[in-house]
Amino acid sequence: MSAATLLFIEDDDSGRELGLFNLRKAGYTVDGARDGAEGLARFDPERHAVVITDVKMPNVGGLEVLREIRTRSPETPVLVITAYGDVDLAVAAMKAGAFDFIGKPFHREHLLLTVAKALERGRMRAELLSLQRQVAGIERPIVGRSPAMARALDLADRVARAAAPVLVTGESGTGKELIARRIHARSPRHAGPFVAVNCAAIPGELLESELFGHVRGAFSGATRDRPGRFRQADGGTLFLDEVAELPPPLQAKLLRVLQERVVDVVGSDVPVPVDVRVVAATNRDPGDLRGDLLYRLRVVEIALPPLRERVEDIPQLVRHFVARFAGGRDVEIPEDVLADMSSRTWPGNVRELENACERAVILCAGDVLHVDDLPPRTAQAPAIAAGGDEWLPALPEDGLSLVDLEKRVIERVLALKRGNITQAAAYLRVPRHVLSYRMEKYGLRRGS
């Protein structure tokens, strides 16, 4: 049974019913349309793999249908139905971009063969485009087709054609940048730049200049103009990784860029227009962002599952990584190794699994991996009892406020570090501007 869906447009009732019957009997899902106007109204490039249309129809003819579909979806093959004597119409259709034509009245075998050829051509073009994207260095392969990952990939492909911002969420190491690259490579902006910024890796005081650029003399050390990442990504996609790490003032400025499509360059009074699609990502609760910015970034949210929720993908991932690190060697992966790797929780997700595979290939004495080549298992954290442990207080029976708990922890660490925010941030293992934001959010001061 074919998974392809076809659109069959024919104004003659008997011809349409015959075509639908033959195609459905062959295993295809087919949508029928009674004329060109209805066919164009029903056409969905995400759903229809091939369009079959009669040429001679009242009002909206087949050539008009062909031209419109070629405009809306150039990759969709269109087959035209012409009477055997209408050679001129067949030639005109081929010149207009039809994949092939079918004589009318058509034979079942010819119809099915032509449809199969059109589908094969579509499949080959899709594979070629995928290879071209990978060769261009933007899109990277995403291994695994578990139901959870398949849903995320399908959503990424569907939103790629739009211009709306996308928020990718998931734990560290789940492949958020890979999704961003896939969205860019499959979007109308694929020929433009893809610019990635890790908001957590840049000091807060430099982030504004990094994102929006500056003019010469804007501040000490600004010896030349700098365009900033938004203008570097003009016409393409800007990927803001760990966007929740942006300090509150920059969140407000990012919101202005998304709303007004201009950047305020540091040291300049003239806003600069930009044409950029933003894909953001975070491994934290998106609620840490200010609400109005979250609404703008989360037009579509793609949640990536952790590796422990897609265990069925681990063997395929292991084979992929081992082949990459083996450098042409034919390294065997026994079932006991795959079983061992599939039984681990991988808190670092795919990134941790990748590192484990690299280690295993390096330590492998021959051409067969062994369990001993894998990293040692980390001790599992013991379950926390309701009565508390060495640092967590006893949990009350009626529940507690996580907000109050976070506030109390920050207060105690500030007291421990005598109000030194830098030392307190290092103790809490968060960037300084994140702690400053939390302090402002809870109304805390250095001496609290």
Side-chain angles (χ1 to χ4, degrees):
M1 177 74 71
S2 173
T5 299
L6 315 177
L7 177 60
F8 191 91
I9 308 171
E10 168 64 84
D11 64 317
D12 178 69
D13 291 342
S14 59
R16 185 176 63 256
E17 292 304 318
L18 178 61
L20 293 174
F21 172 78
N22 286 325
L23 291 167
R24 287 167 178 163
K25 187 176 180 181
Y28 295 108
T29 301
V30 194
D31 296 331
R34 290 170 292 187
D35 54 44
E38 182 183 350
L40 289 176
R42 297 198 66 177
F43 174 65
D44 180 358
E46 297 292 335
R47 172 177 173 80
H48 298 121
V50 173
V51 175
I52 308 163
T53 180
D54 193 8
V55 171
K56 289 187 174 181
M57 294 184 292
N59 299 322
V60 179
L63 290 180
E64 188 175 344
V65 169
L66 168 63
R67 295 188 185 100
E68 177 65 20
I69 288 176
R70 292 281 297 167
T71 300
R72 288 162 58 181
S73 179
E75 304 302 323
T76 302
V78 179
L79 306 176
V80 295
I81 304 171
T82 63
Y84 277 106
D86 291 336
V87 177
D88 292 342
L89 275 177
V91 171
M94 297 300 289
K95 286 183 177 179
F99 173 75
D100 206 342
F101 66 92
I102 303 168
K104 183 179 182 180
F106 49 76
H107 297 290
R108 178 179 182 275
E109 292 75 13
H110 184 212
L111 172 66
L112 298 182
L113 177 61
T114 308
V115 168
K117 285 167 57 180
L119 288 171
E120 177 63 13
R121 182 205 183 190
R123 184 191 64 79
M124 293 179 66
R125 290 194 64 146
E127 289 183 359
L128 178 60
L129 282 172
S130 179
L131 288 173
Q132 288 173 339
R133 294 179 187 123
Q134 293 181 29
V135 169
I138 299 298
E139 186 173 358
R140 311 281 171 77
I142 299 178
V143 179
R145 289 298 181 269
S146 59
M149 202 63 192
R151 286 192 295 270
L153 294 178
D154 176 66
L155 184 55
D157 291 345
R158 285 161 57 195
V159 304
R161 298 191 183 196
V166 177
L167 181 64
V168 188
T169 58
E171 298 177 6
S172 293
T174 50
K176 295 186 289 294
E177 182 170 344
L178 294 181
I179 291 292
R181 287 177 174 274
R182 184 185 183 101
I183 291 172
H184 172 76
R186 300 179 181 221
S187 76
R189 297 172 173 268
H190 63 86
F194 177 85
V195 178
V197 181
N198 187 331
C199 300
I202 303 171
E205 60 272 16
L206 300 180
L207 262 172
E208 182 175 6
S209 172
E210 184 74 20
L211 292 176
F212 308 130
H214 64 253
V215 298
R216 180 181 177 183
F219 49 84
S220 178
T223 58
R224 59 182 177 85
D225 291 353
R226 179 167 183 170
R229 298 303 183 92
F230 266 96
R231 283 190 285 172
Q232 287 177 355
D234 194 56
T237 302
L238 179 66
F239 174 54
L240 297 177
D241 196 11
E242 304 307 340
V243 69
E245 303 291 350
L246 286 176
L250 276 189
Q251 291 190 26
K253 293 184 178 182
L254 174 58
L255 177 63
R256 170 170 160 76
V257 177
L258 295 174
Q259 290 177 334
E260 306 297 332
R261 304 188 72 81
V262 297
V263 293
D264 295 318
V265 180
V266 178
S268 173
D269 296 328
V270 181
V272 178
V274 290
D275 175 23
V276 174
R277 189 210 191 144
V278 172
V279 178
T282 181
N283 62 4
R284 290 168 37 189
D285 180 2
D288 289 341
L289 290 162
R290 52 183 289 166
D292 46 5
L293 176 60
L294 177 59
Y295 301 143
R296 289 292 300 169
L297 289 176
R298 195 164 61 179
V299 175
V300 177
E301 180 178 350
I302 301 176
L304 295 186
L307 192 54
R308 61 183 174 274
E309 293 180 8
R310 44 184 289 228
V311 177
E312 59 268 49
D313 287 338
I314 291 179
Q316 186 181 0
L317 284 163
V318 171
R319 296 186 185 99
H320 170 76
F321 290 134
V322 168
R324 184 208 296 175
F325 294 123
R329 290 165 52 201
D330 186 14
V331 177
E332 181 184 347
I333 312 171
E335 286 300 322
D336 64 324
V337 173
L338 290 175
D340 184 282
M341 300 183 90
S342 298
S343 68
R344 302 189 184 206
T345 57
W346 302 111
N349 293 296
V350 178
R351 187 180 298 124
E352 182 184 2
L353 178 66
E354 179 182 6
N355 293 338
C357 291
E358 183 176 14
R359 168 199 163 104
V361 171
I362 292 172
L363 297 183
C364 176
D367 291 330
V368 179
L369 293 186
H370 298 90
V371 173
D372 291 343
D373 299 325
L374 303 178
R377 287 177 177 267
T378 55
Q380 298 295 316
I384 298 176
D389 60 13
E390 65 270 16
W391 67 272
L392 186 68
L395 300 179
E397 291 291 335
D398 57 348
L400 55 77
S401 167
L402 186 59
V403 171
D404 290 343
L405 182 61
E406 182 181 50
K407 179 179 178 181
R408 290 172 58 190
V409 169
I410 293 174
E411 287 175 331
R412 293 188 60 182
V413 172
L414 285 170
L416 178 67
K417 298 300 179 182
R418 299 181 181 180
N420 188 311
I421 298 177
T422 300
Q423 292 182 12
Y427 182 89
L428 292 169
R429 300 176 186 174
V430 297
R432 190 181 189 279
H433 65 265
V434 172
L435 178 57
S436 298
Y437 168 66
R438 290 293 200 281
M439 291 172 62
E440 180 180 347
K441 178 179 177 181
Y442 297 134
L444 300 176
R445 299 183 180 85
R446 292 172 182 264
S448 297

